[in-house]
Amino acid sequence: MKYLTRKDELMLLAVLRLDNNAYLVSLRDLLNKSTRKKWSIGNIFVSLEKLEEFGYIQSTIGEPTAKRGGKAIKFYTVTGDGLNALKVAKSIQDEMWDGLHDVIFNN
Amino acid sequence: MTAHNQKPPRISSWIFRFLLGRKRSFFLDGDFIEIYNEIYSQEGKVQALKWYWAQLFVTIPPLIIRSIYWSMTMFGNYLKIASRIMIKSKGYSLINIVGLSVGMTCSILILLWVLDEVSFDKFHENADNLYIVGTHTKYGDREVTLPSTPTALGPALKNEYLEITEYARFANGFQQYVFSNGNLRFNEYVRCADASVLEMFSFPLLKGDAATALSAPHSVVMTERTARKYFGDSDPLGMVLRLNGQYDFTVTGILRDTPPNSSLRFDILIPLAFLEEDWDTNLNYWDNFAWETYILLGENSDREKVNQKIAGRINQEYAENNWEVFLYPYTKYHLFYLGAGGSIGTIIIFTSIALLVLGIACMNFMNLATARSCSRAKEIGLRKVVGASKHDIMKQFYSESFLLTLISLILTIVLTTVLLPEFNELTRKQLTFDFYRDPVLVLGLAGMTILTGMLSGSYPALFMSSFKILRILKGQFGFGLKGSDFRKKLVILQFCASIALIIVTVVYFRQLEFMHNKDLGFNKERLLYFRANGTIRQQFDTVKLKMLEDPNISGVTGLSSPMTTVYDSDANYDWNNKEPDIRPSVRRLCTDVDFTRVFGIDMAEGEFFSEELTNGPSNVNGQVVINEEFARIIGNDSPVGDRLTSGHNYNIIGIIKDFNFMPLYNRIGPIALYHQTEDDAHGVNRFRFMFIKIGSGGSRETIAFIEDVYHQFNPELPFEYRFLEDDFSVLYGNFERMGAIIKYFAAIAVIISCLGLFGLGFYVAERRTKEIGIRKVFGSSIPNIVFLLSREFIKYVVIANVIAWPVSWIISKAFLQNFAYRIDIGSGVFILTGLTSILIAFLTVCYQTIKAARANPIDALRYE
C-alpha cells in the first residue's frame, strides 16, 4: 500500500471535514485557512486527480450554477480505501510521535 | 450585492483545454469563475483581476507536469500496441523499415557531404577578411570571369590602397621538381607562393617561424610526411635538399598537413622568387594573367567601396584595357566560384536527390499504411466505440509511425557507419559520422527523424481517424473516393521521381562519355611525356635525335605546357585594325617544328613552323601561329601574313585548327604558338616538357629505351613520366565520381519505389479476392485476370512518365548549360526509360497478381 504524502493526507482530511460540500474551491479555502499557506488551484486540482486515480476519493457531478458561469461542479467523497489509507497514516503518525510530546513542546 | 455573472478573461479556458483536454478542463473553468466572482463582488473588479492573473500564473506549472505524465502513460500504451502490430505483420513492417532506413541513410550521407562542402576554407583565422582577386572582361559576345590575375597586381593593391593590408600570390597549378637528398630522389608537386602566405592563411608550421620561413629564395617548407621521405626521423629543419640537381634548398619549416576541406592544398611550398630565377618569370608584369592573388582586407573595411576603388586598376596600365578587378570573399569561393558556378550546383542537385529519395520512402510508408486499413478498420471502430476521440486515433497512428521511424533510425545509423568508407572512396573525402561530437549532426538526425515520422504518419493518421464507426463495424467500409485517389497520386508521384532521376542520370553519363570521346582536336593516344629537366632542356635537340633512333618512336616534340592546361598567357596583343576595347587573354605555347605531326593537328590556313622557314631568311623569332578562335577574334578574313604585336612584332604564318588545351567545359580560347627559339634570359629554349609519340609497335621496351636516353643526360634524376590520356581521365574524375553517386541513388530510388509497389500490389489483390473469385467462376482465365489487375498499375506508371519527362528535360538542359560542348538530349532516353519503367512495374506486381489470380475462387467467396 502506498504511503500517503502529507499533502494527500491533508487533502483527504479536508474532504472528510467538508462532508457534502467538498469541491475544489471549498477545499482550497479550508486548506488555506488551516495550513496558513496559499494553495494554488492547479496544485489542488492535480492532487485531487491523483487521489481519484488511486481510488481514495470518488467524484460526483453536481448541477451547474450561475456563479460558476454555467459550468457544473465536481463533489468529492472519501472511499473505503481512502479511509484505510488514513488509518494507516494515523497509526504510523502515532507510533512515531509517541512519547516525544514533552521533548517537542517543552523545550 | 454578489455579482454572479462576471466572466474572467477567456485565456484560462484555452490554456486548460489545451493542457487537460475538454472534459477535465470543464470543471476547472467553473472553479476559477466561482472564485473570481466572489472576489469581484467583495473587493471589486481590479482585485479580482489581480487574483486571476496571479492564480493563473501559479496554477499552470503543476498542470503542465500533470499533462506530461498523462501523455507519457498514453504514449506508453500506444507504443505497446504499435509494437504488437509491428510484430504481427512482419513483412509489411520490414518493407517499411528498410525503405525508411535507406531513405534516411541517403539523406544523412548527403548531409555529411554538404556540411563538409560548406565548411571549406572556414578554418583560417583571418577567414572573414580573406579575399581572392577576380578579373572580369568582355570581348565581343564573350564574358570571361576568372581568378587569374597579373603578377604585378598583388603588390600594387597592397601599396596603393590603404584598406588592403596584405597580399599573397600563388603561381598557377603545381610545378614539378625533383628533390634529392643524396641518393633519395623524388619527383614532387610543388606550389610557389609569396612569403606572406604563411601569415595570411592558417597553414600552421609545426616547426619553423612563419614570419621568415619563405623569405629566402631558396627556402622550402614541407609537410612532415614529405620530410620523412628524405630525412627519416632526424630533424629536417635546416637540412638541405637539392632541387633538379642544380639548386640547394634549405628546409625552413614543417607544415601541418593541409586539411581536406581547403581549396588550397599542397605538400611543399617554395617562394615565388625562385620562378624568377629558374624560369625568368617576371614577378612584376601586367600582361600575364596566370596567377592567383589573395588579399587581406583590414578590419572594418567595406568591400563594396574597395571594389569600386580597385575596379579599374589594371586598366590604368594600358589605355585600351577593359578589365574589371574585384574582390571575392575567400570563404565563398569554393561554393560559388566567383559568383556563378562552384560546387553549389552540385550541392543543390545532391540535396534534391536526398529529399527525393526520402520523400519516396515516406510516400511508400503512407501508401502501405493506408492500404492496410481494411484489416485495421475493425480495431479502429472498436476503439472509437470505447471512447477514443479522433485525436486519440491520430495519436495512435503517429506513435506507430514514430516507432517504425525510430527503429529505422537505428538501422540507419548502422548502415551509415558501414557505408561511410565506401562513400568516402566515392567522393574522395574524409567524412566522419561522429554524431556524439557534432551538435549540428545530431540536430540534423533528430530533425530528419521527426520530419520523416510526421510526414509518413500524417496520411494514415488523418485518413484512419475519419472512418465512420458504424460503417466499419458493419463491414461496409469502403476506401472512400478521397482515399484511393490520394493513394493513386502518391504511387504516381513515386514513380515520377524515380523516372526523372533515371533520365537525368542517363543524360549525365552520356555527357560524360561524350567528353571522354570527344575529338579533342588532337590525338592524345600513346603520348608519353616528362619534365625536361636540367641537361635535357639545354641539349634538347640532341636528346630528341637520340630518342628518334628507336623505330617504335614516331615523333618527338617539346612544349612549354603539358597540354592539359597552358601555363603562360599574354593579354597585350595588338593587330591591324584592332578595336580598342578588345583585349583577350591569349595563351602562349612554345613548341618546335614537329608539333603538328606529333599531335596530329591540321592547319586551317598558311603554314606551320618548318625547317625551311627556320633556316630561311625570315627570322623565325618573328613568326607566330594562331588558332582559329584567335583568328575569329581578330576578325580579319585571312590574317595570314599580317602582323601581331606583343612587345615585338610577329608575323602570322599560319592558322592552326582549334584544339582543346584546357578542360572541355570551357570554350576553346585563343592561343598563340611560338617556335622553340623563344629564349629565356639564359638563352635556353622554353620547353618544360618533352613529348614522345610511341608508334603502334611500341611496348615496355620502348619505355625502357626512353628511360635509358633520359639517364644518359640526367643520370642523377629519377625518370618520371606520364601518359597524356591518363591525365585527361583524371581531369574528368570529378564528374565520374558525381556520376557514380547519382547512379547509386537513382538505383535506390527505383528499388524503394518497387518495394512500395510490391506492398501495394499485395493489399490490392487481397481486397479484390472476391471480385477475382467471381470472375473466375464466370470463366475468366488467369492471364486475363493478371492483365486486369496489372492494368491499373500500368496506368499509374504511364501517367508518371508523362509528368516526369518534361521535368527531367528541364533539369537535364540546365545541367548541360555548364558545358561548352554538350550532347543532344534526344528522345531515345525518354522512350527507353518509359518502356523499362512499365516493365519493372509489371514485374513487381506480377507476383502478387498471379498469386491472386490462381487462388481458388471457392475460398474467396466462402465468407460473405
Side-chain angles (χ1 to χ4, degrees), chain B residues 374-385:
Chain B
C374 50
S375 32
R376 306 274 309 266
K378 288 217 183 96
E379 172 208 335
I380 298 168
L382 211 59
R383 274 183 182 260
K384 288 190 140 185
V385 163

Side-chain angles (χ1 to χ4, degrees), chain B residues 482-515:
Chain B
K482 195 170 72 160
S484 49
D485 247 5
F486 188 70
R487 236 169 325 108
K488 263 191 226 161
K489 294 202 186 101
L490 274 187
V491 172
I492 293 178
L493 210 66
Q494 261 181 288
F495 260 82
C496 197
S498 307
I499 292 171
L501 253 180
I502 293 181
I503 293 181
V504 169
T505 308
V506 170
V507 167
Y508 185 85
F509 275 100
R510 280 184 48 206
Q511 169 69 15
L512 207 62
E513 211 189 323
F514 171 72
M515 293 204 296

Side-chain angles (χ1 to χ4, degrees), chain B residues 511 514-515 518 660 663-668 815-823:
Chain B
Q511 169 69 15
F514 171 72
M515 293 204 296
K518 159 119 179 89
N660 258 299
L664 258 177
Y665 37 86
N666 294 331
R667 255 183 100 133
I668 294 183
F815 161 72
L816 288 175
Q817 291 289 44
N818 286 326
F819 298 90
Y821 301 98
R822 54 186 99 113
I823 55 168

Side-chain angles (χ1 to χ4, degrees), chain A residues 23-26 28-29 38-43 45-47 49-50 53 60-62 65-74, chain B residues 3-7 13 20 24-35 37-38 51 55 58-60 62-63 66 69-70:
Chain A
Y23 69 110
L24 194 146
V25 178
S26 59
R28 180 167 170 269
D29 283 338
K38 290 275 219 39
W39 289 57
S40 80
I41 294 186
N43 201 354
F45 179 81
V46 167
S47 295
E49 267 203 344
K50 277 227 212 92
E53 226 170 84
T60 36
I61 316 237
T65 52
K67 77 168 174 187
R68 288 174 65 85
K71 316 268 174 172
I73 200 168
K74 221 186 211 183
Chain B
H4 287 192
N5 297 327
Q6 298 310 312
K7 289 228 166 85
S13 316
L20 302 172
R24 286 153 74 208
S25 68
F26 198 61
F27 301 101
L28 203 55
D29 280 341
D31 295 318
F32 250 80
I33 295 176
E34 184 177 329
I35 303 183
N37 267 320
E38 235 178 84
W51 171 88
Q55 187 62 212
V58 183
T59 292
I60 289 185
L63 289 181
R66 179 81 189 150
Y69 170 77
W70 194 265

Side-chain angles (χ1 to χ4, degrees), chain B residues 533-646:
Chain B
N533 290 325
T535 331
I536 294 196
R537 184 174 155 214
Q538 284 157 348
Q539 302 185 22
F540 198 87
D541 288 330
T542 323
V543 181
K544 181 168 162 177
L545 282 172
K546 277 218 104 81
M547 290 289 185
L548 286 168
E549 282 170 16
D550 187 320
N552 281 322
I553 291 182
S554 53
V556 178
T557 188
L559 279 183
S560 55
S561 292
M563 277 308 255
T564 47
T565 183
V566 175
Y567 293 138
D568 310 295
S569 71
D570 193 341
N572 199 14
Y573 282 98
D574 184 38
W575 54 82
N576 292 335
N577 307 322
K578 181 173 100 65
E579 279 160 58
D581 56 349
I582 294 192
R583 284 187 63 82
S585 173
V586 180
R587 299 281 160 167
R588 295 171 49 112
L589 197 61
C590 274
T591 182
D592 68 8
V593 301
D594 291 312
F595 177 72
T596 45
R597 248 196 313 275
V598 170
F599 284 93
I601 308 179
D602 291 326
M603 297 297 289
E605 268 189 63
E607 302 179 17
F608 195 71
F609 308 114
S610 62
E611 303 293 349
E612 301 84 43
L613 282 179
T614 317
N615 295 332
S618 44
N619 184 3
V620 78
N621 271 344
Q623 291 174 351
V624 71
V625 173
I626 63 177
N627 70 344
E628 287 173 305
E629 175 68 9
F630 199 177
R632 256 177 247 128
I633 293 179
I634 293 182
N636 217 342
D637 261 340
S638 175
V640 177
D642 283 355
R643 124 196 116 80
L644 191 65
T645 310
S646 164

Side-chain angles (χ1 to χ4, degrees), chain B residues 525-537:
Chain B
E525 271 139 54
R526 292 192 305 274
L527 268 171
L528 182 150
Y529 76 98
F530 51 86
R531 185 101 187 174
N533 290 325
T535 331
I536 294 196
R537 184 174 155 214

